[in-house]
Amino acid sequence: MLVALIARDKPDALQARLKNRDAHVDYLKSSGVVMQAGPLLDAEGQMCGSLVVLNVIDMAAAESWAALDPYAKAGVFEDVQLIEWHKVI
């Protein structure tokens, strides 16, 4: 199943995001379930959140993946949504 993780950063979380970026990207690459991923950008072009599309067996696996994300562990996110997604194009 495909799941879209949509996360919004806490205010003033940019430094924590940058500090944990390498670990986050390594996690994205090594987990084996990430189909697409990238940062959300604010009006000034600064990173302010994340969009990650996961290919997992169920929502519990998506929740587990999200909890182990270095950004989540570092407290970068204010809000995280996991939404089942169906790819059309």
Side-chain angles (χ1 to χ4, degrees), residues 10-85:
K10 292 178 180 175
D12 302 318
L14 183 57
Q15 290 308 313
R17 174 179 274 276
L18 294 173
K19 180 180 176 184
N20 291 280
R21 190 169 188 344
D22 289 343
H24 169 73
V25 172
D26 287 345
Y27 182 62
L28 293 172
K29 291 179 179 179
S30 68
S31 67
V33 298
V34 176
M35 304 304 294
Q36 296 184 30
L40 302 176
L41 305 177
D42 64 17
E44 290 78 39
Q46 295 294 318
M47 293 181 288
C48 64
S50 295
L51 171 62
V52 181
V53 178
L54 304 169
N55 187 359
V56 292
I57 59 170
D58 57 23
M59 191 59 75
E63 291 167 356
S64 177
W65 187 95
L68 295 173
D69 181 351
Y71 280 170
K73 289 180 169 184
V76 170
F77 299 136
E78 180 172 63
D79 178 65
V80 176
Q81 295 180 313
L82 293 167
I83 305 166
E84 188 172 355
W85 182 67

